[in-house]
Amino acid sequence: MVKILWNDRIINEEDVKIGFEDRGYQFGDGVYEVIKIYNGDVFTATEHIDRLYESADKIQLVIPYTKDVLHKMLYELIELNEVKNGQIYLQVTRGTSPRQHNFPTPAVESVLTAYTKETNRPLSQLQTGVKACFVEDMRWLRCDIKSLNLLGNVLAKQEAVSKDCFEAILHRGEVITEGSSSNMYGIKNGVLYTHPANNLILNGITRRVIFACCEEIGMPVVEEAFTKQQALEMDEFIMSSTSAEVMPIVSIDDQMIGSGTRGQWTEKLQQAFEKKIPVSVGI
Ligand code: PDD
């Protein structure tokens, strides 16, 4: 029987009751996290929980449990579901109340749900790399919030998939921001370039792990936006996310990046990343 975290209780899946006037369902009024489980351990749990509370704070949503309680509940959930390798999806909405755009007054209790899923690492794609394409970034101006409003991301990913691509590289005008569900980086002459963590991108947890890896392998990081043209001229290109890890992008809009295969810096970054995760499957 699959167990679900529902507010501060772990219950059977069929006992979960979500109101049809839940504001997450009607307005996308909530925040979420996707967290990786490696070898029965929650990877970068503290960072994800901190970012969840930060996102909630930015939309004035109060999560009525401490970070410590949530941390413990997530471990309990993966233990009960016996997940060894996979992920946790966690979301918190502003709760259920009669539909109106402004916040409910008085405030209602937020609704937290979290569940686990067994997943495999994308091992072969981490070696061969993936194709991507440019898609206009049409999202709002608070992409730093990990909000449930994902229609802009959904449409961008759908466009990429319809072009047989793994990911959409979003751009505002000529400037690359991030991916539809990932961060983007170019590597030129041994330097890693990526968009600064401002309101136009989500400051990925994997992005932060990558910065630590760069430090370890002696690769300078420049947090500066670059253009579509500069992207095409990079020696190597990568995307990162909780599920895709450090993923090589070997072509953009069918134009080969560098040699069109995983580059040497990318491989070094992947090896450094691999050392940080509590399982070594090898890539
Ligand atoms: N997406 N940018 C966007 C828009 C994202 O949705 C994500 C993550 C990232 C990378 O963040 P992190 O390294 O913390 O996973 C960047 C998750 C995985 C998702 O929505 O499935």
Side-chain angles (χ1 to χ4, degrees):
M1 185 83 68
V2 180
K3 303 283 183 188
I4 310 285
L5 175 59
W6 189 51
N7 299 321
D8 57 351
R9 290 195 294 141
I10 293 179
I11 59 177
N12 292 329
E13 189 179 356
E14 65 259 29
D15 296 329
V16 176
K17 289 188 181 66
I18 305 290
F20 59 86
E21 284 191 308
D22 183 290
R23 292 180 63 90
Y25 182 51
Q26 292 190 327
F27 297 109
D29 186 1
V31 293
Y32 78 104
E33 281 295 326
V34 178
I35 314 175
K36 199 74 187 264
I37 305 160
Y38 292 113
N39 210 18
D41 201 1
V42 188
F43 185 55
T44 52
T46 306
E47 288 83 350
H48 280 282
I49 291 172
D50 283 350
R51 187 173 64 184
L52 178 77
Y53 279 73
E54 280 162 24
S55 290
D57 201 43
K58 286 173 181 174
I59 65 163
Q60 300 164 56
L61 193 165
V62 178
I63 302 176
Y65 325 107
T66 63
K67 290 181 183 179
D68 279 352
V69 166
L70 188 55
H71 201 277
K72 282 198 197 97
M73 298 301 277
L74 292 182
Y75 270 93
E76 212 173 296
L77 183 70
I78 63 169
E79 220 172 283
L80 285 170
N81 284 337
E82 296 174 1
V83 187
K84 213 155 157 55
N85 291 296
Q87 62 187 41
I88 300 170
Y89 176 82
L90 161 67
Q91 71 169 46
V92 190
T93 77
R94 203 181 301 278
T96 304
S97 74
R99 186 179 183 275
Q100 59 173 23
H101 283 66
N102 56 299
F103 299 169
T105 42
V108 292
E109 209 183 313
S110 57
V111 176
L112 184 151
T113 40
Y115 63 90
T116 56
K117 207 170 77 177
E118 293 271 356
T119 55
N120 292 321
R121 298 179 61 206
L123 292 179
S124 85
Q125 286 160 322
L126 286 170
Q127 273 185 7
T128 58
V130 294
K131 287 166 58 169
C133 57
F134 292 129
V135 177
E136 183 75 41
D137 192 344
M138 294 194 294
R139 301 170 304 160
W140 69 334
L141 296 173
R142 291 307 306 275
C143 300
D144 54 311
I145 302 171
K146 205 159 170 57
S147 133
L148 292 177
N149 277 283
L150 288 175
L151 202 46
N153 309 62
V154 166
L155 293 177
K157 181 78 94 188
Q158 183 56 33
E159 186 172 333
V161 169
S162 73
K163 291 178 176 163
D164 199 25
C165 287
F166 185 80
E167 178 59 304
I169 303 177
L170 303 180
H171 57 92
R172 288 191 191 261
E174 287 305 303
V175 173
I176 306 297
T177 50
E178 60 177 341
S180 76
S181 61
S182 59
N183 291 116
M184 291 288 164
Y185 318 76
I187 300 171
K188 188 79 186 170
N189 300 324
V191 176
L192 184 101
Y193 295 88
T194 194
H195 197 285
N198 59 16
N199 63 312
L200 299 181
I201 70 158
L202 181 77
N203 187 359
I205 305 299
T206 322
R207 180 180 185 272
R208 304 174 209 183
V209 177
I210 285 180
F211 285 3
C213 293
C214 284
E215 175 120 35
E216 282 167 28
I217 65 171
M219 183 183 217
V221 174
V222 177
E223 287 184 81
E224 246 173 50
F226 55 85
T227 64
K228 287 165 71 181
Q229 189 53 39
Q230 286 170 317
L232 294 171
E233 289 163 5
M234 293 288 178
D235 300 330
E236 301 177 33
F237 210 87
I238 53 177
M239 56 174 270
S240 77
S241 75
T242 295
S243 46
E245 300 183 1
V246 185
M247 181 65 78
I249 289 181
V250 292
S251 79
I252 304 175
D253 278 355
D254 289 325
Q255 293 187 52
M256 217 162 79
I257 303 300
S259 63
T261 56
R262 174 175 66 172
Q264 48 161 342
W265 283 106
T266 303
E267 205 172 335
K268 279 187 199 162
L269 273 179
Q270 288 180 330
Q271 283 160 359
F273 184 85
E274 182 100 351
K275 284 200 197 115
K276 295 190 187 297
I277 62 180
V279 60
S280 235
V281 189
I283 47 174

